[in-house]
Amino acid sequence: MLLVTLVLGLASDLISKSVAFERIGGTPARFTRQQVLEADRLSSLLPDHQPLTVVPSVLDLTLVLNPGAVFGIGAGQRWLFVTFTAFAVIFAMYVFAAWTRPRDRLAHFAIGLLLAGGVGNLYDRLRFACVRDFLHPLPGVKMPFGITWPNGSGELWPYVSNIADLWLIIGIGMLLVLCWRAPASDGVNAASTSPDA
């Protein structure tokens, strides 16, 4: 289960990024790691384009190169994120080996999603020195009561992400629910899909 989830999740992330950066901008967005490292503004490596609306106020597609972590935090700290992601992948494999049983299919699925998301973004950081993002959920939807984010944006979700980020969020959410539902002494092991587990 973990291996299949990892392979399919990673493939969906890398293929979707490739297709997005070939098609969304009207002309293919192609760049090298060296170009990213030397660019003053990463947006200069992308074609000028308007966001492509998939569902109004639900999902736009737009190209962004993210040199930081989630939400663009820590731009310029590439090797810190590479190292952190590598340790996170190793820790996820340890959790899989030490804390789960063969019947814990939901836990294996969740860990597989975490690994797929982590490895997908790690691939981008190693190959391109940044992460390729293209999904903008809830574009133009404003925060209630005029509340703004620390960056000054009043949008409910001003960030652009990718499929790897989606798998990370789902995997973390699943593991939190599984840990919350599990007896304290049983840990992740209670996350089995079998009724007799």
Short mmCIF file of all heavy atoms in Angstrom, two decimals, residues 12-60:
data_model
loop_
_atom_site.label_atom_id
_atom_site.label_comp_id
_atom_site.label_asym_id
_atom_site.label_seq_id
_atom_site.Cartn_x
_atom_site.Cartn_y
_atom_site.Cartn_z
N SER A 12 1.81 11.55 -10.02
CA SER A 12 0.77 12.56 -10.24
C SER A 12 1.33 13.97 -10.02
O SER A 12 0.99 14.90 -10.73
CB SER A 12 -0.44 12.32 -9.34
OG SER A 12 -0.11 12.54 -7.97
N ASP A 13 2.22 14.12 -9.04
CA ASP A 13 2.81 15.43 -8.77
C ASP A 13 3.74 15.86 -9.89
O ASP A 13 3.60 16.95 -10.45
CB ASP A 13 3.57 15.40 -7.44
CG ASP A 13 4.29 16.71 -7.17
OD1 ASP A 13 3.62 17.76 -7.15
OD2 ASP A 13 5.53 16.69 -7.01
N LEU A 14 4.69 15.02 -10.25
CA LEU A 14 5.69 15.40 -11.25
C LEU A 14 5.07 15.58 -12.63
O LEU A 14 5.43 16.51 -13.36
CB LEU A 14 6.82 14.38 -11.28
CG LEU A 14 7.64 14.26 -9.99
CD1 LEU A 14 8.74 13.23 -10.15
CD2 LEU A 14 8.22 15.61 -9.58
N ILE A 15 4.13 14.72 -12.99
CA ILE A 15 3.48 14.85 -14.31
C ILE A 15 2.63 16.12 -14.35
O ILE A 15 2.67 16.87 -15.33
CB ILE A 15 2.63 13.60 -14.62
CG1 ILE A 15 3.55 12.40 -14.87
CG2 ILE A 15 1.73 13.84 -15.83
CD1 ILE A 15 2.85 11.07 -14.95
N SER A 16 1.88 16.39 -13.28
CA SER A 16 1.03 17.59 -13.27
C SER A 16 1.88 18.86 -13.34
O SER A 16 1.52 19.82 -14.03
CB SER A 16 0.12 17.61 -12.04
OG SER A 16 0.88 17.75 -10.84
N LYS A 17 3.02 18.89 -12.66
CA LYS A 17 3.91 20.05 -12.74
C LYS A 17 4.44 20.23 -14.16
O LYS A 17 4.49 21.35 -14.69
CB LYS A 17 5.08 19.89 -11.76
CG LYS A 17 4.73 20.08 -10.29
CD LYS A 17 5.92 19.71 -9.43
CE LYS A 17 5.63 19.89 -7.95
NZ LYS A 17 6.70 19.32 -7.12
N SER A 18 4.85 19.13 -14.77
CA SER A 18 5.38 19.21 -16.14
C SER A 18 4.34 19.74 -17.11
O SER A 18 4.62 20.64 -17.90
CB SER A 18 5.80 17.81 -16.61
OG SER A 18 7.15 17.62 -16.41
N VAL A 19 3.13 19.18 -17.04
CA VAL A 19 2.06 19.61 -17.94
C VAL A 19 1.70 21.07 -17.68
O VAL A 19 1.55 21.87 -18.61
CB VAL A 19 0.82 18.71 -17.79
CG1 VAL A 19 -0.37 19.27 -18.55
CG2 VAL A 19 1.13 17.29 -18.27
N ALA A 20 1.58 21.44 -16.41
CA ALA A 20 1.22 22.81 -16.06
C ALA A 20 2.23 23.82 -16.60
O ALA A 20 1.86 24.83 -17.19
CB ALA A 20 1.10 22.96 -14.53
N PHE A 21 3.52 23.53 -16.43
CA PHE A 21 4.54 24.48 -16.86
C PHE A 21 4.77 24.46 -18.38
O PHE A 21 5.38 25.37 -18.91
CB PHE A 21 5.84 24.26 -16.08
CG PHE A 21 5.82 24.97 -14.75
CD1 PHE A 21 5.05 24.49 -13.70
CD2 PHE A 21 6.53 26.13 -14.56
CE1 PHE A 21 5.00 25.16 -12.47
CE2 PHE A 21 6.49 26.80 -13.35
CZ PHE A 21 5.71 26.32 -12.30
N GLU A 22 4.24 23.45 -19.04
CA GLU A 22 4.26 23.44 -20.51
C GLU A 22 3.08 24.19 -21.10
O GLU A 22 3.20 24.82 -22.14
CB GLU A 22 4.23 21.99 -21.02
CG GLU A 22 5.55 21.27 -20.94
CD GLU A 22 6.58 21.79 -21.92
OE1 GLU A 22 6.25 22.00 -23.11
OE2 GLU A 22 7.74 21.99 -21.51
N ARG A 23 1.91 24.15 -20.42
CA ARG A 23 0.67 24.60 -21.05
C ARG A 23 0.04 25.87 -20.49
O ARG A 23 -0.56 26.64 -21.24
CB ARG A 23 -0.37 23.48 -20.95
CG ARG A 23 0.07 22.14 -21.51
CD ARG A 23 -0.36 21.98 -22.95
NE ARG A 23 0.15 20.78 -23.56
CZ ARG A 23 -0.47 19.62 -23.57
NH1 ARG A 23 -1.65 19.51 -23.00
NH2 ARG A 23 0.08 18.58 -24.16
N ILE A 24 0.10 26.10 -19.19
CA ILE A 24 -0.68 27.17 -18.57
C ILE A 24 -0.28 28.55 -19.08
O ILE A 24 -1.13 29.41 -19.29
CB ILE A 24 -0.59 27.10 -17.03
CG1 ILE A 24 -1.35 25.88 -16.52
CG2 ILE A 24 -1.15 28.37 -16.39
CD1 ILE A 24 -1.21 25.62 -15.04
N GLY A 25 1.00 28.78 -19.29
CA GLY A 25 1.47 30.11 -19.68
C GLY A 25 1.30 30.46 -21.13
O GLY A 25 1.68 31.55 -21.55
N GLY A 26 0.74 29.56 -21.93
CA GLY A 26 0.61 29.83 -23.36
C GLY A 26 1.84 29.38 -24.12
O GLY A 26 1.76 28.78 -25.17
N THR A 27 3.01 29.65 -23.57
CA THR A 27 4.27 29.12 -24.10
C THR A 27 4.93 28.33 -22.98
O THR A 27 4.76 28.64 -21.80
CB THR A 27 5.22 30.26 -24.56
OG1 THR A 27 5.48 31.11 -23.46
CG2 THR A 27 4.61 31.06 -25.70
N PRO A 28 5.69 27.30 -23.32
CA PRO A 28 6.31 26.47 -22.28
C PRO A 28 7.23 27.28 -21.37
O PRO A 28 8.00 28.12 -21.84
CB PRO A 28 7.09 25.41 -23.08
CG PRO A 28 6.41 25.36 -24.40
CD PRO A 28 5.93 26.76 -24.67
N ALA A 29 7.15 27.03 -20.08
CA ALA A 29 8.03 27.65 -19.09
C ALA A 29 9.16 26.68 -18.83
O ALA A 29 9.01 25.73 -18.07
CB ALA A 29 7.26 27.96 -17.82
N ARG A 30 10.30 26.93 -19.47
CA ARG A 30 11.45 26.05 -19.32
C ARG A 30 12.62 26.84 -18.76
O ARG A 30 12.91 27.95 -19.21
CB ARG A 30 11.82 25.43 -20.66
CG ARG A 30 10.71 24.55 -21.21
CD ARG A 30 11.05 23.96 -22.55
NE ARG A 30 9.92 23.18 -23.04
CZ ARG A 30 9.65 23.01 -24.31
NH1 ARG A 30 10.41 23.56 -25.24
NH2 ARG A 30 8.61 22.30 -24.67
N PHE A 31 13.28 26.28 -17.79
CA PHE A 31 14.38 26.97 -17.12
C PHE A 31 15.28 25.93 -16.50
O PHE A 31 14.89 24.77 -16.32
CB PHE A 31 13.84 27.93 -16.05
CG PHE A 31 12.80 27.31 -15.18
CD1 PHE A 31 13.15 26.60 -14.05
CD2 PHE A 31 11.45 27.40 -15.52
CE1 PHE A 31 12.19 25.99 -13.26
CE2 PHE A 31 10.48 26.80 -14.73
CZ PHE A 31 10.85 26.09 -13.60
N THR A 32 16.49 26.33 -16.19
CA THR A 32 17.45 25.43 -15.57
C THR A 32 17.68 25.86 -14.12
O THR A 32 17.32 26.96 -13.71
CB THR A 32 18.80 25.47 -16.31
OG1 THR A 32 19.36 26.79 -16.16
CG2 THR A 32 18.62 25.14 -17.79
N ARG A 33 18.32 24.98 -13.39
CA ARG A 33 18.68 25.27 -12.01
C ARG A 33 19.57 26.51 -11.94
O ARG A 33 19.39 27.37 -11.08
CB ARG A 33 19.40 24.05 -11.44
CG ARG A 33 19.71 24.11 -9.98
CD ARG A 33 20.30 22.77 -9.54
NE ARG A 33 20.28 22.67 -8.11
CZ ARG A 33 21.17 23.26 -7.31
NH1 ARG A 33 22.14 23.99 -7.83
NH2 ARG A 33 21.08 23.13 -6.01
N GLN A 34 20.52 26.59 -12.87
CA GLN A 34 21.45 27.72 -12.89
C GLN A 34 20.71 29.03 -13.13
O GLN A 34 21.00 30.05 -12.50
CB GLN A 34 22.52 27.51 -13.96
CG GLN A 34 23.70 28.43 -13.82
CD GLN A 34 24.43 28.27 -12.49
OE1 GLN A 34 24.57 27.17 -11.96
NE2 GLN A 34 24.87 29.39 -11.92
N GLN A 35 19.74 29.01 -14.04
CA GLN A 35 18.96 30.22 -14.30
C GLN A 35 18.20 30.66 -13.06
O GLN A 35 18.10 31.85 -12.76
CB GLN A 35 17.98 29.98 -15.46
CG GLN A 35 18.64 29.90 -16.81
CD GLN A 35 17.66 29.52 -17.90
OE1 GLN A 35 16.88 28.56 -17.75
NE2 GLN A 35 17.66 30.26 -19.00
N VAL A 36 17.65 29.69 -12.32
CA VAL A 36 16.93 30.01 -11.08
C VAL A 36 17.89 30.64 -10.07
O VAL A 36 17.57 31.64 -9.42
CB VAL A 36 16.25 28.75 -10.49
CG1 VAL A 36 15.75 29.01 -9.08
CG2 VAL A 36 15.12 28.29 -11.40
N LEU A 37 19.07 30.06 -9.92
CA LEU A 37 20.04 30.56 -8.95
C LEU A 37 20.53 31.97 -9.30
O LEU A 37 20.86 32.76 -8.41
CB LEU A 37 21.23 29.60 -8.84
CG LEU A 37 20.92 28.24 -8.21
CD1 LEU A 37 22.12 27.31 -8.33
CD2 LEU A 37 20.49 28.39 -6.77
N GLU A 38 20.58 32.27 -10.59
CA GLU A 38 21.11 33.57 -11.01
C GLU A 38 20.04 34.64 -11.19
O GLU A 38 20.36 35.82 -11.32
CB GLU A 38 21.87 33.41 -12.35
CG GLU A 38 23.13 32.58 -12.20
CD GLU A 38 23.78 32.27 -13.54
OE1 GLU A 38 23.21 32.63 -14.60
OE2 GLU A 38 24.88 31.65 -13.53
N ALA A 39 18.76 34.26 -11.16
CA ALA A 39 17.68 35.22 -11.44
C ALA A 39 17.47 36.17 -10.28
O ALA A 39 17.48 35.77 -9.11
CB ALA A 39 16.39 34.47 -11.74
N ASP A 40 17.29 37.47 -10.60
CA ASP A 40 16.93 38.45 -9.58
C ASP A 40 15.49 38.27 -9.16
O ASP A 40 15.14 38.40 -7.99
CB ASP A 40 17.13 39.88 -10.12
CG ASP A 40 18.61 40.21 -10.31
OD1 ASP A 40 19.42 39.67 -9.56
OD2 ASP A 40 18.92 40.99 -11.22
N ARG A 41 14.62 37.99 -10.14
CA ARG A 41 13.20 37.73 -9.88
C ARG A 41 12.83 36.44 -10.58
O ARG A 41 12.99 36.32 -11.80
CB ARG A 41 12.32 38.87 -10.41
CG ARG A 41 12.47 40.19 -9.69
CD ARG A 41 11.55 41.26 -10.27
NE ARG A 41 11.72 41.40 -11.71
CZ ARG A 41 10.83 41.01 -12.62
NH1 ARG A 41 9.70 40.44 -12.26
NH2 ARG A 41 11.07 41.19 -13.91
N LEU A 42 12.34 35.46 -9.83
CA LEU A 42 11.99 34.18 -10.45
C LEU A 42 10.85 34.32 -11.45
O LEU A 42 10.76 33.56 -12.40
CB LEU A 42 11.62 33.16 -9.37
CG LEU A 42 12.77 32.72 -8.46
CD1 LEU A 42 12.31 31.64 -7.49
CD2 LEU A 42 13.95 32.24 -9.27
N SER A 43 10.00 35.32 -11.26
CA SER A 43 8.89 35.52 -12.19
C SER A 43 9.39 35.85 -13.60
O SER A 43 8.68 35.63 -14.58
CB SER A 43 7.95 36.62 -11.69
OG SER A 43 8.66 37.84 -11.55
N SER A 44 10.63 36.35 -13.71
CA SER A 44 11.18 36.68 -15.03
C SER A 44 11.46 35.42 -15.86
O SER A 44 11.63 35.50 -17.08
CB SER A 44 12.47 37.49 -14.89
OG SER A 44 13.49 36.70 -14.31
N LEU A 45 11.49 34.25 -15.21
CA LEU A 45 11.72 33.00 -15.92
C LEU A 45 10.43 32.40 -16.46
O LEU A 45 10.46 31.39 -17.18
CB LEU A 45 12.39 31.98 -14.99
CG LEU A 45 13.75 32.40 -14.41
CD1 LEU A 45 14.23 31.36 -13.42
CD2 LEU A 45 14.76 32.61 -15.53
N LEU A 46 9.30 33.01 -16.12
CA LEU A 46 8.00 32.49 -16.54
C LEU A 46 7.38 33.39 -17.60
O LEU A 46 7.60 34.60 -17.59
CB LEU A 46 7.06 32.42 -15.33
CG LEU A 46 7.52 31.54 -14.17
CD1 LEU A 46 6.60 31.71 -12.97
CD2 LEU A 46 7.59 30.09 -14.61
N PRO A 47 6.59 32.80 -18.51
CA PRO A 47 5.91 33.65 -19.50
C PRO A 47 4.85 34.52 -18.83
O PRO A 47 4.23 34.10 -17.84
CB PRO A 47 5.27 32.64 -20.46
CG PRO A 47 5.15 31.39 -19.66
CD PRO A 47 6.28 31.39 -18.67
N ASP A 48 4.65 35.74 -19.35
CA ASP A 48 3.55 36.57 -18.86
C ASP A 48 2.25 35.86 -19.18
O ASP A 48 2.04 35.42 -20.32
CB ASP A 48 3.57 37.94 -19.53
CG ASP A 48 4.70 38.82 -19.00
OD1 ASP A 48 5.10 38.60 -17.85
OD2 ASP A 48 5.19 39.68 -19.76
N HIS A 49 1.40 35.70 -18.17
CA HIS A 49 0.14 34.99 -18.41
C HIS A 49 -0.89 35.41 -17.37
O HIS A 49 -0.54 35.88 -16.28
CB HIS A 49 0.35 33.48 -18.36
CG HIS A 49 0.73 32.97 -17.00
ND1 HIS A 49 1.98 33.16 -16.44
CD2 HIS A 49 0.02 32.27 -16.08
CE1 HIS A 49 2.03 32.60 -15.25
NE2 HIS A 49 0.85 32.06 -14.99
N GLN A 50 -2.14 35.26 -17.73
CA GLN A 50 -3.24 35.46 -16.81
C GLN A 50 -3.61 34.12 -16.20
O GLN A 50 -3.50 33.09 -16.87
CB GLN A 50 -4.46 36.05 -17.53
CG GLN A 50 -4.25 37.46 -18.04
CD GLN A 50 -3.99 38.43 -16.89
OE1 GLN A 50 -4.68 38.40 -15.87
NE2 GLN A 50 -2.97 39.27 -17.05
N PRO A 51 -4.05 34.10 -14.93
CA PRO A 51 -4.48 32.83 -14.35
C PRO A 51 -5.59 32.19 -15.19
O PRO A 51 -6.44 32.88 -15.73
CB PRO A 51 -5.01 33.24 -12.97
CG PRO A 51 -4.30 34.52 -12.66
CD PRO A 51 -4.13 35.21 -13.98
N LEU A 52 -5.53 30.89 -15.30
CA LEU A 52 -6.54 30.12 -16.01
C LEU A 52 -7.59 29.67 -14.99
O LEU A 52 -7.26 28.92 -14.07
CB LEU A 52 -5.89 28.92 -16.70
CG LEU A 52 -6.79 27.94 -17.43
CD1 LEU A 52 -7.49 28.63 -18.60
CD2 LEU A 52 -5.98 26.75 -17.92
N THR A 53 -8.82 30.13 -15.15
CA THR A 53 -9.88 29.79 -14.20
C THR A 53 -10.48 28.43 -14.54
O THR A 53 -10.98 28.22 -15.65
CB THR A 53 -10.98 30.86 -14.19
OG1 THR A 53 -10.39 32.10 -13.79
CG2 THR A 53 -12.09 30.50 -13.23
N VAL A 54 -10.40 27.50 -13.60
CA VAL A 54 -11.00 26.18 -13.77
C VAL A 54 -12.44 26.23 -13.29
O VAL A 54 -13.37 25.88 -14.01
CB VAL A 54 -10.21 25.10 -13.00
CG1 VAL A 54 -10.87 23.72 -13.14
CG2 VAL A 54 -8.77 25.06 -13.49
N VAL A 55 -12.64 26.69 -12.05
CA VAL A 55 -13.97 26.92 -11.47
C VAL A 55 -13.91 28.27 -10.78
O VAL A 55 -13.08 28.46 -9.89
CB VAL A 55 -14.36 25.82 -10.46
CG1 VAL A 55 -15.74 26.09 -9.87
CG2 VAL A 55 -14.32 24.44 -11.09
N PRO A 56 -14.74 29.25 -11.19
CA PRO A 56 -14.67 30.59 -10.60
C PRO A 56 -14.76 30.55 -9.07
O PRO A 56 -15.59 29.85 -8.50
CB PRO A 56 -15.87 31.31 -11.20
CG PRO A 56 -16.14 30.59 -12.48
CD PRO A 56 -15.78 29.15 -12.22
N SER A 57 -13.86 31.27 -8.43
CA SER A 57 -13.78 31.40 -6.96
C SER A 57 -13.46 30.08 -6.25
O SER A 57 -13.51 30.00 -5.03
CB SER A 57 -15.07 31.98 -6.38
OG SER A 57 -15.29 33.28 -6.91
N VAL A 58 -13.14 29.04 -7.03
CA VAL A 58 -12.77 27.75 -6.43
C VAL A 58 -11.34 27.37 -6.79
O VAL A 58 -10.56 27.01 -5.92
CB VAL A 58 -13.75 26.63 -6.87
CG1 VAL A 58 -13.30 25.27 -6.32
CG2 VAL A 58 -15.16 26.93 -6.40
N LEU A 59 -10.98 27.48 -8.07
CA LEU A 59 -9.63 27.07 -8.48
C LEU A 59 -9.17 27.82 -9.72
O LEU A 59 -9.87 27.84 -10.73
CB LEU A 59 -9.59 25.56 -8.74
CG LEU A 59 -8.22 25.00 -9.17
CD1 LEU A 59 -7.19 25.16 -8.05
CD2 LEU A 59 -8.35 23.53 -9.57
N ASP A 60 -8.00 28.43 -9.60
CA ASP A 60 -7.28 29.01 -10.73
C ASP A 60 -5.97 28.25 -10.91
O ASP A 60 -5.43 27.69 -9.94
CB ASP A 60 -6.92 30.49 -10.48
CG ASP A 60 -8.06 31.44 -10.79
OD1 ASP A 60 -9.13 30.98 -11.25
OD2 ASP A 60 -7.88 32.65 -10.56
#
